[in-house]
Amino acid sequence: MTRYDGRKNDELRPIKIQVGIIKNADGSCYLEWGKNTVLATVHGPKPIFPKHLGDETKAIIDYRYRMAPFSVSERKAPVPGKREKEISLVSGQALESAIFVEKFPNTVIDIDTIILSADAGTRVAALTAASVACANAGIPMKGLISAVAAGVVNKECVLDLMYEEEATEGTTDMPLALLMPQKEIVLLQMDGNVDRKQWETIIEMATKGSEKVYELQKKALLEKYPIEGELDE
Amino acid sequence: MNEIINTLYAEEVKNAIKAGGQRLDKRKLDEFRKIEIKKGGLNWADGSAIVKIGDTEVVCGIKFEIGEPYPDSPDQGSMTLNIELTGIASPEYFTGPPTLEAMEYGRIADRVIRSAEIIDFKDLCIIPGEKVLLIFIDCYAINAAGNIIDATEIASICALLDAKIPKIDENNKIIKGEYSDKKLNIKKIPLSFTFEKIENKIVLDPTDKEEDAGTTRFSIGICEDKIVSCQKSKSGTFTQKEILEMTDIALKKYGEIKKEILKYIKM
């Protein structure tokens, strides 16, 4: 079976990552992932107001995943729905596992991601961008968060579903995020219908895919912060 | 309960787990608490159930309403699942607008039932593109003692199995208190299995004290031999091996829990 855009089953869409493109933010990232475009910014750690919202043991991660009204074919109301709130919650928890939050008690780290154009896989694109933006902001982290979805379309296990595949009837979609290079799972969601064998296959596929995403994130960051005076010279 | 006592409880849970995988209530790591179900009994609900998992208790009531279909599925009805975590259930909860926690629990339970595709929403169509039946599944936690997610899911599925579809008059309005002969025709029981990771050990069906001691949660939806949904939450991490281990426990336990439920429910 061939895919809509001719990709192999375990092939990612083209990904382009730009680091630090917004002056006013402590950290930022612009990311193009197939036909998805995402903007992520980071502000903080900064004192939290009102103070009672703070935690005396760690920084609060305030992660927002939002879809612009013009990011999908039917205009989406700008007020966040339950889906956006849930994605914000689990994505924030995923990033929290990477950040040394205990170093910044009574503060908040604001992480804003906005989908400018959506083509399936937006939560993993946003999380991938947010992780790069956190690195750009100089936030102490155990590693980067690298994410991608895998799933089952027409009984085939495939990596990185695009809109046409996600919209196919009976599709299973499973966004996964890893803390890299530790390879620990920090986000995993799924809805669909798979047997045990397909389940293991798509988890492995998304793990391998996330490792590829990690290489692209590293490349973008090292281009922004090149190693000076290479030893070989 | 005050915060320091909760911290002490969490310490006790962790110490027991560290001392050799013991749980404070003597359960095995992959053992569910006792499940008790009361189906029906709420006069004004079109279907209802009260589910107890140990000390956790959730009530679910179903109401049908007539509404418009979604533009992308003009010949189908739809369902909405909601869980309220109010001050009734725990001193940790406060009455007021729904919390993120409640919203997430509802979404997880909703996904298990939705993905298993046990309801044929085309059966709920009255006039294509104009009028369909909407199923409102409303749950309240009565006592929160851990694992509200699975209790909500089981209560919802039991209430759905109890539900009768209302009669509709010639003006396409629901006739209150009268029911058609049609049922929702549910043939499978999807079940949610929630795990908590505590001190690198994984326990099934966590109590509230175990939830406080844990750093990571995983819920997986199983329908017969298929995996239909999942959600990892909280700020800890899992290895791929742990995810597959939890999957296998859930698949193995499915038959046992389904049998427990069928003691109370006829399909």
Side-chain angles (χ1 to χ4, degrees), chain B residues 204-243:
Chain B
L204 177 63
D205 178 31
T207 63
D208 49 347
K209 294 176 184 67
E210 288 172 335
E211 286 173 349
D212 285 346
T215 50
T216 321
R217 187 178 65 222
F218 185 66
S219 293
I220 184 163
I222 305 285
C223 192
E224 300 185 332
D225 58 346
K226 295 284 168 42
I227 301 142
V228 294
S229 65
C230 85
Q231 174 110 320
K232 179 256 155 191
S233 20
K234 299 169 74 169
S235 60
T237 68
F238 284 116
T239 62
Q240 192 185 103
K241 190 164 157 270
E242 287 169 334
I243 297 286

Side-chain angles (χ1 to χ4, degrees), chain A residues 56 58 81-83 85-86 89-90 93-94 96-97 123 170 174 179 183-196 198-200 203-204 207, chain B residues 3 80-82 100-101 103-104 107-108 111 115-117 218 220 225-240 243-244 247-248 251:
Chain A
E56 63 273 30
K58 61 174 192 180
K82 279 188 185 176
R83 176 182 167 273
K85 285 182 185 168
E86 187 198 6
L89 178 74
V90 291
Q93 291 169 340
E96 188 179 331
S97 67
R123 82 192 69 181
M174 184 201 68
L179 171 64
K183 278 181 75 169
E184 287 169 33
I185 296 172
V186 296
L187 179 142
L188 185 64
Q189 295 181 290
M190 187 275 250
D191 60 328
N193 196 319
V194 295
D195 61 32
R196 173 67 173 73
Q198 289 169 323
W199 177 238
E200 191 164 346
I203 291 178
E204 182 58 29
T207 302
Chain B
E3 217 173 299
T80 306
L81 192 156
N82 190 50
L100 267 178
E101 186 184 11
M103 183 217 61
E104 192 202 10
R107 298 261 308 169
I108 296 172
R111 244 188 333 257
S115 298
E117 294 181 339
F218 185 66
I220 184 163
D225 58 346
K226 295 284 168 42
I227 301 142
V228 294
S229 65
C230 85
Q231 174 110 320
K232 179 256 155 191
S233 20
K234 299 169 74 169
S235 60
T237 68
F238 284 116
T239 62
Q240 192 185 103
I243 297 286
L244 294 174
T247 306
D248 288 336
L251 285 167

Side-chain angles (χ1 to χ4, degrees), chain A residues 202-217:
Chain A
I202 57 177
I203 291 178
E204 182 58 29
M205 221 175 202
T207 302
K208 290 231 170 77
S210 298
E211 290 169 31
K212 286 183 201 158
V213 171
Y214 175 60
E215 291 304 321
L216 297 169
Q217 289 171 300

Side-chain angles (χ1 to χ4, degrees), chain A residues 63-75:
Chain A
Y63 185 101
R64 274 174 295 270
Y65 162 94
R66 295 286 184 268
M67 295 190 81
F70 46 80
S71 64
V72 278
S73 72
E74 297 280 325
R75 179 178 183 269

